[in-house]
Amino acid sequence: MTRADDPGVLKITRNNGTGEVAQPIDLAQRVRDLRKSRGWTLEQAATAAGLARSTLSKIENGQMSPTYDALKKLAQGLEITVPQLFTPPVQHPASGRMAVTRADEGTAQPTPTYDHRLLAGQLSQKKMLPYQALVRARDMADFGGWVRHGGEEFLYVLTGEIRLYTEFYAPIDMRRGDSAYYDASMGHNVISLSREDAQILWVTSLE
């Protein structure tokens, strides 16, 4: 009997229907890597999984073999399935994509409230949309309503002073170097408070 025929060997079936034998995996290292990839401390991961910190520490150090109940809690806390605990992470080869946008480059898209300049326009199928904006609006009345769209958004003030209005929060005044990260499906608008039009950097995730 070959190793592939051994009923005790875990097998992986890919989306294309092909199967392969999973290589043995160090569960302790796998759990540790999954926790660290999320930026969690032992305390945070243990709380998410509903386990004692000491229990998780022993699992990560190979000092105990977790029960199936503990494995289910771990998987649930890490938001994965139990089989994924025993499956090596898929290695995606580097695509080598890169785009450089010089200071005087970028695709201009002026609007009554913002002068947008799209960055990294050479790349198609981006996962995020970076653009610089000159904020011309000075009052909420300059907008026809809330701006909202899919994804999440990061805003960074480059020059001047702005006021960030959002649907569920009080307005926030921001100066050069300040930043905000928010759900872009929540209504949001930005106006300049400074004498000169403020400049901001926006990065929007594309869903």
Side-chain angles (χ1 to χ4, degrees), residues 11 30 45 48 56 66 70 79 81 94 99 104 116 122 131 150 172 201:
K11 300 176 184 178
R30 175 67 169 150
L56 181 57
E79 299 181 340
T81 64
D104 57 347
H116 294 303
Q122 309 95 306
Y131 53 103
I172 303 172
L201 173 69

Side-chain angles (χ1 to χ4, degrees), residues 124-139:
S124 61
Q125 299 182 332
K126 293 188 287 289
K127 294 184 179 180
M128 53 186 177
L129 180 66
Y131 53 103
Q132 190 173 330
L134 196 67
V135 184
R136 297 202 177 281
R138 289 297 194 281
D139 191 278

Side-chain angles (χ1 to χ4, degrees), residues 63-126:
Q63 296 173 352
M64 70 174 289
S65 297
T67 63
Y68 184 70
D69 184 57
L71 288 174
K72 286 197 299 183
K73 289 182 177 180
L74 264 177
Q76 188 172 22
L78 294 168
E79 299 181 340
I80 60 175
T81 64
V82 171
Q84 285 177 296
L85 286 171
F86 300 92
T87 306
V90 177
Q91 299 296 325
H92 296 285
S95 67
R97 296 206 313 163
M98 186 175 78
V100 175
T101 306
R102 300 295 183 183
D104 57 347
E105 297 175 343
T107 305
Q109 288 194 344
T111 72
T113 50
Y114 306 115
D115 276 358
H116 294 303
R117 189 164 64 88
L118 302 184
L119 310 174
Q122 309 95 306
L123 295 181
S124 61
Q125 299 182 332
K126 293 188 287 289

Side-chain angles (χ1 to χ4, degrees), residues 5 13 26 35 46 62 64 68 78 91 96 102 109 115-116 121 141 143 182 189 192 198 204 206:
D5 296 324
T13 301
D26 183 341
R35 172 177 65 80
M64 70 174 289
Y68 184 70
L78 294 168
Q91 299 296 325
R102 300 295 183 183
Q109 288 194 344
D115 276 358
H116 294 303
F143 299 90
Y182 49 88
N189 290 323
S192 280
T204 304
L206 299 174

Side-chain angles (χ1 to χ4, degrees), residues 7 41 60 64 78 82 98 160 168 178 196 203:
T41 63
E60 286 197 3
M64 70 174 289
L78 294 168
V82 171
M98 186 175 78
F168 305 134
D178 293 343
E196 299 293 330
V203 181

Side-chain angles (χ1 to χ4, degrees), residues 135 138 159-162 191-199:
V135 184
R138 289 297 194 281
T159 65
E161 184 177 0
I162 67 167
I191 67 169
S192 280
L193 297 179
S194 47
R195 179 176 299 178
E196 299 293 330
D197 294 338
Q199 293 189 63

Side-chain angles (χ1 to χ4, degrees), residues 20-49:
E20 62 184 70
V21 175
Q23 297 303 311
I25 191 167
D26 183 341
L27 179 62
Q29 184 65 49
R30 175 67 169 150
V31 172
R32 189 182 307 115
D33 290 344
L34 285 167
R35 172 177 65 80
K36 290 185 175 180
S37 70
R38 288 157 175 74
W40 289 355
T41 63
L42 267 172
E43 190 71 38
Q44 290 172 318
T47 299

